[in-house]
Structure formats: C-alpha cells, structure tokens
Amino acid sequence: MSHPPFSPAQARAARLRIGLPPEQVVAAMAQLGLHRPVEALMSWESGAVAPSELELFALASALWCPVPVLMDLRPRSLREHRLARQFTAERLAQRIGMDVRDYVRAEKEHRWSGTDRQTLLLADALGLEPEDLRAVIGRAGELDELLRRAVEGRWKQYVAPLAQMVGARERTVGQALRTLHQEYARFNERYMGHLVARSDHARLKEIATERAEWLHGLSDRFLDLTGHDTPPSP
C-alpha cells in the first residue's frame, strides 16, 4: 500500500510546539512498540522519506498531535478517514465485519460495496457525519439527483427516501423540500415573467445563471435546512 499523505513541515512544527528533541520523540514511539532511529524521524521532517501508516500513527501519538494535522488535510476519502482514526485496513475491516480484501478494494477503487450493517458500523467506527458518509460511499451524486427531481416535480414523494439517505426526520426533510421547491419555483416565475415582458436577453441569461448556481449548491442548501436533524434511536 502507498505511503499516506504527510506534511514534513507540520510534523516538525508539532514537535517544536511541545519542545521535544528528536531523541525523545523516537523514544516515545518505541514505548508504543515502534522502534525507529532518530535518522528516520529526521528524514520524515526533511521530506526525504514519507512514513508508513504505522509510523504515522506512532508519530502522531508521540507528538500528541491529530493524524489529520500531520497529513495537512481534511479527510475526504475512505482511506483518509481511516487514517485519521488510526485504523489499519485490517483492523477496520475486522471492526465492521468485512473481508479485508473487499475493504481494501473499496479504498482502492473508491467504490463502497458494504452491506447496510457494515455501512452503519463504518460510520460509527470513523465518526462520519452524514455528508461525509455519503461522500465516502459514493452517494453524493444520488442525493443531487433526488433533490433535483424533488424541486422540479412533486417533492412529497421524495421525503421518505431522502430522510433515509441523510438520516433525518421525515418532517424536517419535508419542510426543507417545501422550501427548496418554492425557491426553485420563484426562479421559474421570474424567468417566465421577464420572457413574457420581452426583457432583453442579458436579463434572461442573468436569471438562468442564478438558477444554475442555486442548483449547483442544492445539496449544501438542503443539508443546511435539515440541520443534520437525526431521528431518535429506537
């Protein structure tokens, strides 16, 4: 498996923040069961070599620093979320009851094949928020498509599937869809009004552009309206 994302500058900055010399850092890593020479740490900080996953985990623990800081990114992919929680692929696969070969394939191909139960266990293990879970398992495009159908047609029939998808109360989702449907309708009313009034082409193009931008941010707008309102546990 390839080396994880790693920022030499962030690693050095994290060590300097807590005032540890390299010798103490590798000593702390050794106490965690990972023995590496000082030269290894210096090669990581210089950018000459990137640490492995296990080395990254041990370094983060020794520096009392979150893994995403050392990776210098906000986790987005399945692998990045796993690394952020300091799981090896084998341990996470075992945690969610999935064959490790299937799990590794999901990371590599960016295609989630887990069952509903495995998906729920994955979200729990990695602490994934609904929008992160959708991105990880590749359902962001499905959300966009359902929302577009809802605002362009009869939104009530999409309440239940969208509530299930984002893990929110149907009442909350219904209120959000009603609002979005009304906002979309106003774009159409403005456009048709100017069309009937024979407004100039520039004005019609401006309204069409505003509508396109609104549709582009439709998922974010929907998630803001639902507020990640999760239903109570049964």
Side-chain angles (χ1 to χ4, degrees):
M1 185 171 289
S2 62
H3 288 280
F6 181 72
S7 169
Q10 290 290 359
R12 177 175 172 78
R15 178 172 64 80
L16 295 178
R17 275 196 300 271
I18 59 176
L20 285 182
E23 294 77 10
Q24 290 188 23
V25 174
V26 296
M29 292 175 62
Q31 291 180 347
L32 296 169
L34 196 70
H35 298 267
R36 294 292 184 273
V38 172
E39 290 77 16
L41 174 61
M42 302 312 296
S43 67
W44 299 337
E45 289 190 1
S46 70
V49 178
S52 67
E53 290 188 3
L54 291 179
E55 290 168 340
L56 175 64
F57 297 160
L59 180 61
S61 297
L63 295 175
W64 293 78
C65 179
V67 170
V69 172
L70 296 186
M71 293 195 295
D72 197 21
L73 52 76
R74 177 186 179 277
R76 295 186 181 276
S77 69
L78 177 56
R79 187 190 185 200
E80 289 168 357
H81 279 288
R82 172 176 63 78
L83 292 172
R85 291 287 175 147
Q86 298 196 26
F87 277 104
T88 62
E90 292 78 10
R91 191 159 68 90
L92 181 56
Q94 183 180 25
R95 172 80 172 265
I96 66 176
M98 191 174 192
D99 185 280
V100 65
R101 292 167 296 183
D102 292 335
Y103 176 80
V104 171
R105 188 181 305 112
E107 277 197 3
K108 183 178 180 180
E109 298 179 358
H110 302 284
R111 187 190 302 273
W112 181 246
S113 60
T115 64
D116 287 346
R117 175 171 172 75
Q118 289 168 340
T119 302
L120 290 173
L121 290 173
L122 179 77
D124 179 68
L126 300 185
L128 296 174
E129 295 293 334
E131 64 271 26
D132 291 323
L133 179 61
R134 281 192 304 276
V136 162
I137 66 177
R139 300 189 71 180
E142 185 180 349
L143 174 63
D144 291 339
E145 178 62 24
L146 285 180
L147 287 173
R148 183 180 284 264
R149 292 179 187 175
V151 299
E152 292 178 345
R154 301 179 180 232
W155 59 266
K156 291 184 180 180
Q157 63 183 304
Y158 295 98
V159 171
L162 282 167
Q164 182 178 9
M165 179 178 290
V166 302
R169 293 176 175 86
E170 289 191 11
R171 179 178 179 181
T172 302
V173 170
Q175 292 171 341
L177 290 182
R178 181 185 294 108
T179 298
L180 294 173
H181 191 270
Q182 291 171 347
E183 291 177 358
Y184 184 75
R186 283 196 287 271
F187 278 115
N188 290 337
E189 290 169 2
R190 287 171 55 202
Y191 188 88
M192 292 305 298
H194 283 281
L195 186 64
V196 171
R198 298 187 178 182
S199 299
D200 59 74
H201 179 71
R203 181 55 181 153
L204 292 173
K205 185 176 180 181
E206 179 183 336
I207 297 173
T209 300
E210 290 177 9
R211 183 176 63 178
E213 292 175 350
W214 183 86
L215 286 170
H216 181 72
L218 185 55
S219 293
D220 290 338
R221 174 77 173 127
F222 172 71
L223 293 173
D224 286 341
L225 289 172
T226 56
H228 314 308
D229 181 29
T230 55
S233 301

